[in-house]
Amino acid sequence: MESWSTFGGDLHLDLTGRRARGLGLRAALEDALREAVQDGRLAPGTRLPSSRALGGDLGVARNTVVEAYTQLAAEGWLTSRRGSGTTVAARATPSRPVSCPAEPASGPAIRYDLRPGRPDLSLFPRTAWLAAARRALATAPHDAFGYGNPLGRIELRRALAGYLARVRGVRTDPAHILLCSGYTQGLALLGRALSDRGTGTLAVEAYGLPRHREVARFAGPATEPLPLDEAGARTDLLAGSRAGAVLLTPAHQFPLGAPLPAARRQAAVEWARERDGFVIEDDYDGEFRYDRQPVGSMQGLDPERVVYAGTASKSLAPGLRIAWLALPGALVEPLARLKTLADGQSGVLDQLTLAELITSGTYDRHVRRCRLHYRRRRDRLVAALAERAPDVRVTGIAAGLHAVLQLPDGAPPEAELLARAAAAGLAVGALADCLDDPRQAPRAAPALVIGYGTPPEYAFAGALDALCTLLEPLGRPSR
Amino acid sequence: MESWSTFGGDLHLDLTGRRARGLGLRAALEDALREAVQDGRLAPGTRLPSSRALGGDLGVARNTVVEAYTQLAAEGWLTSRRGSGTTVAARATPSRPVSCPAEPASGPAIRYDLRPGRPDLSLFPRTAWLAAARRALATAPHDAFGYGNPLGRIELRRALAGYLARVRGVRTDPAHILLCSGYTQGLALLGRALSDRGTGTLAVEAYGLPRHREVARFAGPATEPLPLDEAGARTDLLAGSRAGAVLLTPAHQFPLGAPLPAARRQAAVEWARERDGFVIEDDYDGEFRYDRQPVGSMQGLDPERVVYAGTASKSLAPGLRIAWLALPGALVEPLARLKTLADGQSGVLDQLTLAELITSGTYDRHVRRCRLHYRRRRDRLVAALAERAPDVRVTGIAAGLHAVLQLPDGAPPEAELLARAAAAGLAVGALADCLDDPRQAPRAAPALVIGYGTPPEYAFAGALDALCTLLEPLGRPSR
């Protein structure tokens, strides 16, 4: 600890510590002086000692001090004037950034998380991912690390075109695929592109993810709820709406769970053709179908009218932020331009790694393993509820990572159940929270939305027990 | 190859090949039928044979055909009506996506790339990156892979807060750092946030990167050129402009190359305080300073008025799409919200890996190695030009990866030189292409902008020779 007491009180300049961290003498002196100005120990206007005096105090060469002063003057901390020496630059006392917590405070402690829309993060195949990353890094051309095509790396677009055709019946090619930072970005770019081509209103399913409606609206178009019935979205009603495009979850309606029937798919596509509009097919969990072969994509019905949107958020992890759009020809150029202006392109390393994972067959094996895992979870959920809360009707479970639990007559309101759950450390979703417009009718009966995929394996049994404990008293005579 | 000739002409259904690829019999049949409908071999309205007949033709159980028909009807390809059998769904002939090339055609072949703004991609530390990714994957909590804080992973924000303070004199903390998908996204989000708070005009340096001006304008504010002189941006003129914010490159003006003098930094910060505006400090290559200690950041002068923007695009690779903003307190909430609506958050794996790289000291060592590499390149450029084209004045070379080559009197226009260069397979930049407004005065003298960092090492000598060959005849009496 060097002390420097030339003007009013000691000023500690820790040169030794800085040198121990590898800084040269001049750099250590600069850094120490800069810090002293920054934190206000050297107030604006303070006159510094001459370079000779300070050098003497600190036992460093005079020239080292001159260089440090010159550097800090170049940075604006000090002012040097010939004849009047060196002073701390005249400016307001440096403001420290407003202090705020490093991470936003979370709500009440969640012991058991059964909120929908999240996969079991403990399934992320870390070892396989690293191995694929190694292969990708070993084989990628240098160019891959540069500024590139806004659509994304060709390796992944090729791999996806094949994969989506094989697994989801999507008809596309690499030139029509845009890789984006999660479905959120895909939807934001689509919303803007639709708005740019004059689409003022986007029809959305009356029940859906509030965040997605918000993203779409922020990007441009207003949203208008499309009624749902037991079979799914009433696409036959599109003709009577103001909408120029519609957002659907055909494979597994979120949250209600039905696959969109063939006639309604057909009706949506025909409407889009007549309206010169588009269908956005949000295929968020199309790979997880348990009771029969996966329902193919709607996009295959008309690749020029349906935008297929898929994601690695459920099959791998949301944190990857990898999603893909298979675009109609008319939207490729507008989307590529919007992507360019939004962020240039998405990060290439994860793209190259995912391409490796798909072409090596590892991705297929991983998805199969996850499907089995989630199916077992679903079966355990259904069995536990049948035993302990038989009046709760479980629906929407032929696919995906969530179920709708329809509450029996006389059950308390959803909000009260959520509060009871929270008090027990259990987080679940409420169907009403997915409703677009609270005034709309008909409304679905009260229900909880349960993400049985969410907890890590060690927590699932506990979560299930907490859920059953919550629902057990419902629909039974009180004892 | 199975053949099926029940109606008008053979229909080849390749079940064998599909089974060899691992599909079950029913899945193979479904896939083959789906493809036949998709590619038009089975036209809309075509009546399919009964399940019994087709099963007999193909030698498969009748029930397998029934299941395949049912599945394809569920997907909308076929229509099944009791009594009238199964037909191909009535809809327009499926349109194939418009064919377009898998990758955009590139311009004339570039043998030697000396365009500015790109690092030497062969320097990307693949091995060190993979090792850091391994450590990151081994230690990350499961939660890291989920939906997370829009600001980005806390590990990287912590590492950067320390790094930026140490290396660039930035005063911030993890709660004020936003990780974004390249500087492009940072600028787009800032443009929108400024626009939302009523900033109609953003002042930009009269010479700069056209893409950045475009990104800012697209996000909201108009841009207004701020004149430059030899010392850099005339921040003293801000008071007379309509601008509510200014975008600067203080460490190394792009492209002209001067560091912004202390008095002009101070003037910009004072203007921002009085105007209740902001300075955006684009510190794109602040780590690469050759002739003295790095010029500290402007942000340190006033963290509540200066947004510091840094990036891994020059120090590591543009393809990573990792950049960071150190934000004033007033902009944290607006930017976090905009990031949420744009893409939720940036991809976590690269963030965790970069955090590892920084905290382990590997990043510092890598940057030092790159600095030496680029400095040698610069010295070779200067020496070669001094020998072969001594009338060309080389400026802006105290830092960064590019130089400005001022052309001697009598030199042909920049555009003609670029055309000559292109004919020789050499790509370079022209200063005039960086000009914001072609009408503006004063204009800098004609010059080329040379990215000496761009070529991989094996190509640099050739690129340098091609450049000298281009410039050699200038400013000398013709021989």
Side-chain angles (χ1 to χ4, degrees):
Chain A
M1 230 25 154
E2 289 78 1
S3 213
W4 170 29
S5 52
T6 323
F7 40 85
D10 280 359
L11 181 75
H12 293 285
L13 294 176
D14 177 11
L15 300 189
T16 312
R18 287 179 167 85
R19 301 218 55 190
R21 297 202 321 265
L23 292 185
L25 186 53
R26 195 190 77 182
L29 177 57
E30 275 174 31
D31 192 58
L33 282 170
R34 192 186 289 113
E35 185 184 276
V37 176
Q38 284 177 353
D39 65 15
R41 284 177 293 152
L42 280 177
T46 306
R47 183 162 175 169
L48 274 73
S50 72
S51 52
R52 187 184 307 271
L54 183 58
D57 274 13
L58 298 176
V60 302
R62 179 192 168 188
N63 214 38
T64 304
V65 180
V66 171
E67 286 172 359
Y69 280 5
T70 307
Q71 173 64 22
L72 292 172
E75 294 175 15
W77 300 108
L78 303 180
T79 308
S80 287
R81 270 199 210 87
R82 209 168 278 281
S84 67
T86 301
T87 53
V88 177
R91 57 196 158 69
T93 306
S95 49
R96 283 248 169 227
V98 179
S99 164
C100 78
E103 291 293 282
S106 47
I110 295 176
R111 281 183 67 196
Y112 300 117
D113 191 350
L114 288 175
R115 287 175 295 179
R118 294 143 216 240
D120 178 353
L121 299 171
S122 72
L123 296 183
F124 184 77
R126 300 188 189 208
T127 309
W129 184 268
L130 185 67
R134 179 183 300 111
R135 292 193 302 271
L137 278 164
T139 56
H142 289 318
D143 275 0
F145 299 100
Y147 294 101
N149 191 324
L151 296 180
R153 283 303 299 176
I154 184 66
E155 293 88 343
L156 181 54
R157 289 185 285 128
R158 273 200 202 110
L160 279 172
Y163 175 81
L164 295 174
R166 176 164 55 83
V167 172
R168 306 294 299 127
V170 171
R171 292 189 292 150
T172 189
D173 61 47
H176 290 77
I177 293 181
L178 173 79
L179 301 171
C180 46
S181 178
Y183 171 64
T184 296
Q185 187 182 47
L187 185 56
L189 299 178
L190 283 169
R192 175 69 193 237
L194 291 171
S195 180
D196 286 350
R197 70 193 298 279
T199 302
T201 304
L202 173 71
V204 296
E205 293 167 323
Y207 284 85
L209 212 56
R211 169 60 55 81
H212 290 170
R213 292 191 294 261
E214 191 189 1
V215 166
R217 281 194 294 258
F218 186 73
T223 60
E224 183 182 296
L226 184 65
L228 296 171
D229 61 18
E230 294 261 309
R234 294 283 308 276
T235 53
D236 54 308
L237 300 179
L238 280 169
S241 85
R242 280 164 306 182
V246 60
L247 178 59
L248 297 171
T249 49
H252 187 224
Q253 204 281 328
F254 187 90
L256 291 166
L260 194 64
R264 295 197 181 178
R265 292 172 176 231
Q266 199 61 51
V269 168
E270 271 159 24
W271 166 81
R273 286 188 195 126
E274 274 162 38
R275 179 72 178 72
D276 187 21
F278 294 101
V279 177
I280 302 172
E281 175 178 25
D282 175 9
D283 196 45
Y284 62 104
D285 66 0
E287 283 145 326
F288 298 115
R289 181 117 212 136
Y290 308 124
D291 293 357
R292 48 172 173 156
Q293 287 287 312
V295 177
S297 78
M298 249 184 97
Q299 188 266 6
L301 291 177
D302 193 340
E304 293 304 318
R305 289 294 160 194
V306 183
V307 179
Y308 175 89
T311 176
S313 290
K314 305 295 177 288
S315 59
L316 285 167
L320 285 179
R321 310 311 295 139
I322 302 184
W324 41 87
L325 302 177
L327 293 165
L331 292 179
V332 172
E333 283 298 320
L335 266 285
R337 177 166 175 274
L338 290 171
K339 176 74 178 166
T340 301
L341 292 166
D343 61 6
Q345 64 182 121
S346 286
V348 298
L349 291 188
D350 290 342
Q351 292 179 36
L352 294 170
T353 302
L354 180 54
E356 265 293 319
L357 220 55
I358 294 174
T359 52
S360 66
T362 310
Y363 185 74
D364 280 76
R365 285 191 296 277
H366 171 71
V367 167
R368 275 201 297 276
R369 199 161 42 235
C370 292
R371 192 185 296 132
L372 203 62
H373 176 81
Y374 292 128
R375 184 183 180 141
R376 278 201 209 103
R377 290 253 180 117
R378 180 199 66 163
D379 293 346
R380 286 168 70 187
L381 171 73
V382 171
L385 289 172
E387 190 190 324
R388 294 179 57 187
D391 292 329
V392 170
R393 207 175 128 226
V394 189
T395 60
I397 54 173
L401 316 180
H402 74 273
V404 174
L405 272 46
Q406 303 199 359
L407 304 174
D409 291 342
E414 293 169 2
E416 190 187 322
L417 271 181
L418 256 62
R420 281 191 208 168
L426 171 69
V428 296
L431 185 56
D433 290 340
C434 299
L435 189 64
D436 185 13
D437 181 350
R439 293 161 305 179
Q440 93 202 12
R443 292 182 60 155
L448 299 184
V449 187
I450 297 296
Y452 52 80
T454 306
E457 191 58 22
Y458 68 84
F460 184 65
L464 199 49
D465 181 60
L467 179 68
C468 288
T469 303
L470 175 75
L471 299 179
E472 222 163 18
L474 307 188
R476 291 184 180 185
S478 55
R479 284 169 289 190
Chain B
M1 233 19 156
E2 289 76 3
S3 213
W4 170 29
S5 51
T6 323
F7 40 84
D10 281 359
L11 182 76
H12 293 285
L13 294 176
D14 177 12
L15 301 189
T16 313
R18 287 180 166 84
R19 301 218 54 190
R21 297 203 320 263
L23 293 185
L25 186 54
R26 194 190 77 181
L29 178 58
E30 274 174 31
D31 192 57
L33 282 170
R34 192 186 289 114
E35 185 184 275
V37 176
Q38 283 178 353
D39 66 15
R41 283 178 292 151
L42 279 177
T46 306
R47 184 163 173 169
L48 274 75
S50 72
S51 52
R52 187 184 307 271
L54 183 59
D57 274 14
L58 298 175
V60 303
R62 180 191 166 185
N63 214 37
T64 304
V65 181
V66 171
E67 287 172 358
Y69 280 5
T70 307
Q71 173 64 22
L72 293 171
E75 294 175 14
W77 301 108
L78 304 180
T79 308
S80 287
R81 269 197 212 89
R82 211 167 277 283
S84 65
T86 301
T87 54
V88 177
R91 57 195 160 70
T93 307
S95 48
R96 286 243 168 230
V98 178
S99 164
C100 78
E103 291 293 284
S106 48
I110 296 175
R111 283 183 65 196
Y112 301 117
D113 192 350
L114 288 176
R115 288 175 294 178
R118 293 143 215 242
D120 178 353
L121 300 171
S122 72
L123 296 184
F124 184 78
R126 299 189 189 207
T127 308
W129 185 269
L130 185 68
R134 179 183 302 112
R135 292 193 302 272
L137 277 165
T139 56
H142 288 317
D143 275 0
F145 299 99
Y147 295 101
N149 190 325
L151 296 180
R153 284 303 300 176
I154 184 66
E155 293 88 341
L156 181 54
R157 289 185 285 128
R158 272 201 203 110
L160 278 172
Y163 176 81
L164 295 174
R166 177 165 54 83
V167 173
R168 306 293 299 125
V170 171
R171 292 190 290 150
T172 189
D173 61 48
H176 289 77
I177 293 182
L178 173 79
L179 301 171
C180 47
S181 179
Y183 172 63
T184 296
Q185 187 183 45
L187 186 55
L189 299 178
L190 283 169
R192 174 70 193 238
L194 290 172
S195 180
D196 286 351
R197 70 193 297 281
T199 302
T201 304
L202 174 71
V204 295
E205 292 167 324
Y207 283 84
L209 213 54
R211 167 60 54 81
H212 290 170
R213 292 191 295 260
E214 191 189 2
V215 166
R217 281 195 294 257
F218 186 74
T223 60
E224 183 182 296
L226 183 65
L228 296 172
D229 61 18
E230 294 261 307
R234 293 284 308 275
T235 52
D236 55 307
L237 301 178
L238 280 168
S241 84
R242 280 164 308 182
V246 60
L247 178 59
L248 297 171
T249 50
H252 187 223
Q253 204 282 328
F254 187 90
L256 291 165
L260 194 64
R264 295 198 182 177
R265 294 172 175 232
Q266 199 62 50
V269 167
E270 272 160 22
W271 166 82
R273 285 188 197 126
E274 274 163 35
R275 178 73 178 72
D276 187 21
F278 294 102
V279 177
I280 303 172
E281 174 177 26
D282 175 8
D283 196 45
Y284 63 104
D285 66 2
E287 283 146 326
F288 298 114
R289 181 118 211 134
Y290 309 123
D291 294 356
R292 48 173 173 157
Q293 286 286 311
V295 177
S297 77
M298 247 183 100
Q299 189 267 6
L301 291 177
D302 193 340
E304 292 304 318
R305 288 294 160 195
V306 182
V307 179
Y308 175 88
T311 176
S313 290
K314 305 295 176 287
S315 58
L316 285 166
L320 285 180
R321 311 311 296 138
I322 302 184
W324 41 87
L325 303 178
L327 293 164
L331 292 179
V332 171
E333 282 298 318
L335 267 285
R337 178 168 172 272
L338 290 171
K339 176 73 177 165
T340 300
L341 292 167
D343 61 6
Q345 65 183 118
S346 287
V348 298
L349 292 188
D350 290 342
Q351 291 179 36
L352 294 170
T353 302
L354 180 54
E356 265 294 319
L357 220 55
I358 294 174
T359 51
S360 66
T362 310
Y363 184 74
D364 280 75
R365 285 191 296 277
H366 171 73
V367 167
R368 275 201 296 277
R369 199 161 44 235
C370 293
R371 193 185 295 132
L372 204 63
H373 176 81
Y374 292 128
R375 183 184 181 142
R376 280 202 207 103
R377 289 255 179 116
R378 180 200 66 164
D379 293 346
R380 287 168 68 185
L381 171 74
V382 170
L385 288 171
E387 191 191 324
R388 294 179 56 186
D391 292 330
V392 170
R393 208 176 127 224
V394 190
T395 60
I397 54 173
L401 318 179
H402 75 272
V404 173
L405 271 47
Q406 303 199 1
L407 303 174
D409 291 342
E414 292 168 4
E416 191 188 320
L417 272 181
L418 256 62
R420 281 190 207 170
L426 173 69
V428 296
L431 185 56
D433 291 340
C434 298
L435 189 65
D436 185 13
D437 182 348
R439 294 162 305 180
Q440 93 203 11
R443 291 181 60 154
L448 299 184
V449 186
I450 297 297
Y452 52 80
T454 307
E457 191 58 21
Y458 68 86
F460 184 65
L464 200 49
D465 182 59
L467 179 68
C468 288
T469 304
L470 175 75
L471 299 178
E472 219 161 14
L474 306 187
R476 291 186 179 183
S478 53
R479 283 170 286 190

